[in-house]
Amino acid sequence: MTAQSDLHVVILAAGQGTRMKSSLPKVLHQAAGSSMIEHVLRASDSVTPATITVVIGHQADFVRLSLAGRADIQCVVQSPQLGTAHALQQAEPLLAGRPGTVVLLSGDVPLLTGATLRKLVQTHLDAGAAATVVTAVVERPYGYGRIIRSRGRIARIVEERDASPTQRLVREINSGIYAFDGALLFDALRGIAAGNAQGEYYLTDVVSVYRRRRLPVETLIVDDPGEVRGVNNRSELAEVGAIMRQKKNEELMAAGVTIVDPASTYIDSDVIVGPDTVIHPGVVIQGQSRIGSACEIQAYVRITDSELADKVTVLNFCVIVGARVAKGAAIGPFAHLRPATDVGEGARVGNFVELKKTSLGAGSKASHLSYLGDATIGTNVNVGAGTITCNYDGQNKHETVIEDNAFIGSDSQLIAPVRVGRGAYVGAGSSITRDVPPDALGIARGRQENVEGWVARKKKAPAKA
Ligand code: UD1
Ligand code: CA
């Protein structure tokens, strides 16, 4: 879809978020794996605006940095932060002379969907309104601005702190999301005063300004009030996160994924999971992870930014970060795959095995108690229990290469840099410091001696005082 040249999005994100009690700016707090502002941007992208302006202020540099990856976003600084109307005013220099519709979003309303935004723009344009306010009818309106109607039409918005007891009974609330006619907006903002309980310039007052000027103000009442939930404190952040997760789980289940216990399954919004994969309780799948089809992810596994092909089994209690696992491989229980790990087709990584920056070839096995770091391991290699690649000399990391069909006996140390040739064997208990040629046996351990009759002689000997 091409950008709509007359549509501009402004996102308010300058407030401190006092009620979060945090050193982190509110909009950078995460729900379901993305910051709130990322969620809001995702929704705004779906109306393909010509420009996106984010109003920053409190810890502006921090917020700006988090948006650095998006060249299409412009930031304006609001300092000091004198309220939501004052915040929007800061965007005027960037939007002046650009006619059209301004869609205003709040950085702390992260559940908003693209579909609602598209509906907002449509309703606003169809009505030819000066402003259209997204509202919702909720069970607990506490804390939100209330929509005061007169003869059915919106007359003004009253904030919780400024509301009378009767006004507080109103259950229709302001979502903080609006569409404005850009040609009228900034002039109207100048007509707003700060005569309220907080001494701030309230954007909500634009409604009464327009009504006084006899300009049409519309509302769009959302069907699902959950969608416009604002986050002002940590409890609300947790609630919003839970709603996002539930939505993600439902999408996946509808697409053929079995989630044994959705309530204890935490899957970030960008994660892809193929059909007939079974996900057991307590599983966390984060970031840009992709899971193939017909996989089994057993209980209490965390997978972050990793790719699992089809028919992969991950047994209980594994941590998989930045790794790739090919078709039919089996991982765990209690395995740790760290970044830049590549597990080949049908390979097996077993109990208490840690892999870092290591590729384990197809059909190879490291079944028990191993550390394999900075290693390139070929196909059909058997890595015995307790094998360790000694990759670090205190200063530098060194590589270990194990060629195809090699066999590493249990409890061996491979002191890198070192290479075990194709088809070679390493005797159990070896400390290998030199390369083992192909098809050779490398053995490096103390020789065993058996002393015949030693026990009987020891027992006969008189005990020393
Ligand atoms: C606001 C609305 C309220 C609505 C609610 C919905 C006003 C006056 N009130 O209240 O009617 O029901 O949202 O969630 O608009 N911000 C700035 N600069 C400022 C102040 C705020 O950028 O000077 C930003 C905040 O970072 C936040 C957003 O504006 O992203 C909303 O501010 P907040 O203080 O959370 O407003 P609410 O009290 O929730
Ligand atoms: Ca808020």
Side-chain angles (χ1 to χ4, degrees), residues 301-302 314-320 330-338 349-355 366:
V301 165
R302 173 160 77 89
V314 183
L315 302 177
N316 301 62
F317 302 104
C318 291
V319 175
I320 300 179
I331 312 294
F334 300 99
H336 188 184
L337 305 188
R338 293 170 52 201
V349 176
N351 313 260
F352 302 101
V353 173
E354 174 182 351
L355 267 63

Side-chain angles (χ1 to χ4, degrees), residues 2-24:
T2 51
Q4 304 195 37
S5 59
D6 49 0
L7 191 66
H8 305 279
V9 165
V10 177
I11 302 173
L12 300 190
Q16 182 180 358
T18 324
R19 291 163 278 182
M20 294 298 280
K21 308 245 163 74
S22 176
S23 60
L24 192 69

Side-chain angles (χ1 to χ4, degrees), residues 19 26 106 108-109 143-144 175 230-232 236:
R19 291 163 278 182
K26 174 159 79 173
S106 214
D108 64 349
V109 182
Y144 290 97
S175 68
V231 173
N232 295 313
E236 286 165 350

Side-chain angles (χ1 to χ4, degrees), residues 212-225:
R212 244 182 281 130
R213 297 181 183 181
R214 305 206 174 281
L215 290 166
V217 181
E218 271 303 315
T219 54
L220 170 67
I221 307 178
V222 291
D223 299 329
D224 172 13

Side-chain angles (χ1 to χ4, degrees), residues 127-199:
T132 303
V133 184
V134 177
T135 75
V137 178
V138 300
E139 287 302 318
R140 292 178 295 150
Y142 178 80
Y144 290 97
R146 306 298 205 283
I147 305 297
I148 309 300
R149 290 182 180 267
S150 124
R151 282 188 239 106
R153 300 199 60 84
I154 182 168
R156 59 205 170 98
I157 302 174
V158 183
E159 291 305 295
E160 174 82 33
R161 296 187 213 217
D162 304 301
S164 67
T166 338
Q167 288 171 331
R168 285 193 180 133
L169 296 176
V170 172
R171 293 197 297 120
E172 187 183 4
I173 58 111
N174 170 28
S175 68
I177 292 150
Y178 319 78
F180 295 109
D181 179 337
L184 304 167
L185 177 62
F186 294 102
D187 182 55
L189 293 182
R190 279 186 278 278
I192 290 175
N196 52 56
Q198 295 200 92

